Amino acid sequence: MITVALSKGRILKQTLPLLKKIGISLVDDPYNSRKLIFSASRDDIQFVIIRATDVPTFVQFGAADLGVVGKDGLMEHGGEGLCELLDLRISQCRLMTAVPRRSENVPRTRKRLRVASKYVRLAQQYYQSQGMQAEVIKLYGAMELAPLVGLADEIVDLVETGNTLRANDLVEKDLIANISCRLIANAASMRTRHQQIAQLVDQLAEVVGSEQ
Ligand code: PRT
Ligand code: MG
């Protein structure tokens, strides 16, 4: 049996159709169930459906053999004990810095920038790589609010259409990374369940490729 950790929310909505294309469906409807473990149409595979941010952790510790998670979540986790197997090319967006429109063309003069983000590690790494000092304030949501109420000078967050930034009078500044969903594996499972995993990766690679 292999266990696959899926991220609930928007990633799940786009992952289920991919799985369906390779003949795998969940027995119960994950949108109308309080279950956390789901059986599938194939009896050698089961799914756990958890928060996106928890997927790398479940896979790292072998609680799941495989996982589907955004590159953002994977990078923020650090990737220890994980193998990145496939770009699923779904849930695409960009990890950006963003600032209030009024400071769009103002140089960053503050010695120590204040940055609000859910991605503390990535934000710290980014500003450091640019030779800037930043104090990163961890928020769990509504990042866009932080510069509006004086909590931060800028934010690091995901941008897809740009509507959320626009609605809050913020503008994109620097691109940190292009993001899409990745299939990841526990490093030990790659050895012990190699054949099963390789077969699944091949099947998924085929449907992902055919969609481009
Ligand atoms: O809420 P919870 O902690 O459970 O998890 P989550 O919010 O991380 O889950 P969810 O379902 O929102 O999925 C998050 C994953 O989807 C991310 O890790 C990305 O890999 C991927 N993804 C793709 C996105 C977006 N696009 C996206 N646009 N995740 C979030 N957003 C948000 C963004 O944070 C911002 O608030 O959408 C807003 C911006 O969208 P636009 O279109 O207005 O620019
Ligand atoms: Mg969310």
Side-chain angles (χ1 to χ4, degrees), residues 168-192:
N168 293 291
D169 248 341
L170 300 172
V171 289
E172 298 180 28
K173 202 170 171 85
D174 311 332
L175 173 70
I176 301 178
N178 286 306
I179 303 295
S180 59
C181 234
R182 307 300 157 105
L183 181 69
I184 59 172
N186 172 272
S189 302
M190 284 299 287
R191 293 188 293 274
T192 54

Side-chain angles (χ1 to χ4, degrees), residues 53-112:
T53 41
D54 289 334
V55 168
T57 310
F58 272 65
V59 178
Q60 174 187 3
F61 291 101
D65 304 292
L66 296 173
V68 174
V69 68
K71 181 73 178 177
D72 51 315
L74 183 56
M75 291 192 299
E76 183 67 16
H77 169 274
E80 193 192 333
L82 303 175
C83 307
E84 188 182 320
L85 301 180
L86 187 65
D87 184 347
L88 297 173
R89 301 182 186 174
I90 53 172
S91 294
Q92 296 188 355
C93 58
R94 314 182 289 288
L95 185 68
M96 303 289 306
T97 69
V99 297
R101 189 178 302 282
R102 61 182 144 73
S103 48
E104 186 177 4
N105 298 311
V106 180
R108 287 156 161 150
T109 47
R110 202 199 275 267
K111 192 154 181 293
R112 197 145 189 248

